[in-house]
Amino acid sequence: MSTVLFDPQTLPIDSIAGEAAVAAERLTAHWLRQRFAEPPHWTPEAAEQPWPMAAPAKAAAVLVPLVLREAGLTLLLTRRTAHLNNHAGQVSFPGGRVEPSDSSPVDTALRETEEEVGLRRRHVDVLGTLPDYHTGTGYCVTPVVGLVTPPFVLRADPCEVDEIFEVPLAFLMDGQNHQRLSALLPAGPRSFYAMPYDRFYIWGATAGMLRNLFHFLRA
């Protein structure tokens, strides 16, 4: 499915997830390193229901880049260009499909990030991965979480990325900022999360993977 059949920003909000925010002391580099080194038992968020399709899911990986800013950790995100076949114009993590030359999902995420936004892998301290996330458009995505140390230079690939921006991690790790929405489509009912921030609308697979990070840090 290459096009979005609805505009999520026109839909009513069904509910607010509303869980308590992740404690501030957990949103630090030291604590995150410990959490990924010794992960707890936790339950991932249910992923999107895939669209009916004959082909198997396509393997992909994204980087969840947590930037070490003096005021606190931020999450680096992109807004995709409007002409792409999948998720055009949407907010997303840097990343993409696995290539035969990639040695691992981590390698895919770092390679794609460098290609899309110019972030060199030497700036990224990979902490670990979150559970694979199956998107409605037929991708099996491995989220790779990494700490990013400034200074660094970014350069958006104009073929794929319209804009690069950062969101405070504390905002995203607060259930009060997690909206639940739904839409009735020809393929059946769809439900998803959205996390609007400033002029950016974070939703769908990106919001779903952020919900998994939220559960993982709260556990």
Side-chain angles (χ1 to χ4, degrees):
M1 185 67 63
S2 61
T3 58
V4 175
L5 302 178
F6 61 95
D7 179 358
Q9 298 185 66
T10 65
L11 298 173
I13 299 169
D14 293 338
S15 61
I16 302 295
E19 300 98 337
V22 175
E25 58 266 22
R26 296 188 173 202
L27 302 181
T28 65
H30 176 72
W31 194 92
L32 288 170
R33 286 192 179 97
Q34 288 188 322
R35 171 50 52 107
F36 276 92
E38 299 178 7
H41 175 75
W42 66 290
T43 303
E45 187 87 19
E48 300 176 45
Q49 286 294 112
W51 300 104
M53 56 182 64
K58 298 176 284 289
V62 297
L63 183 66
V64 183
L66 305 178
V67 184
L68 295 162
R69 299 294 185 190
E70 288 187 10
L73 287 169
T74 66
L75 177 68
L76 188 147
L77 291 165
T78 73
R79 187 165 59 82
R80 293 165 64 82
T81 55
H83 66 268
L84 295 173
N85 288 333
N86 288 298
H87 308 288
Q90 293 184 22
V91 170
S92 68
F93 300 112
R97 293 183 63 167
V98 171
E99 298 292 345
S101 58
D102 295 334
S103 61
S104 66
V106 170
D107 192 35
T108 299
L110 294 175
R111 175 185 56 76
E112 285 280 344
T113 296
E114 187 162 354
E115 292 174 2
E116 289 185 6
V117 301
L119 179 64
R120 301 292 182 88
R121 61 179 68 201
R122 68 172 180 268
H123 294 289
V124 184
D125 176 12
V126 173
L127 300 180
T129 62
L130 295 172
D132 288 349
Y133 189 92
H134 292 265
T135 73
T137 48
Y139 286 89
C140 176
V141 184
T142 302
V144 177
V145 181
L147 295 172
V148 183
T149 303
F152 50 80
V153 176
L154 301 180
R155 176 188 46 77
D157 177 355
C159 294
E160 296 192 56
V161 176
D162 264 350
E163 194 168 358
I164 306 167
F165 63 99
E166 295 179 31
V167 180
L169 184 61
F171 176 89
L172 297 168
M173 295 296 101
D174 185 346
Q176 291 295 333
N177 298 324
H178 300 176
Q179 302 173 358
R180 189 74 174 173
L181 302 94
S182 58
L184 183 59
L185 304 178
R190 316 289 298 183
S191 61
F192 54 89
Y193 282 97
M195 303 172 186
Y197 175 77
D198 195 23
R199 60 187 177 84
F200 300 103
Y201 195 77
I202 305 164
W203 73 287
T206 301
M209 286 181 268
L210 284 172
R211 283 286 293 177
N212 274 344
L213 178 62
F214 176 66
H215 293 310
F216 178 69
L217 299 186
R218 288 182 77 238

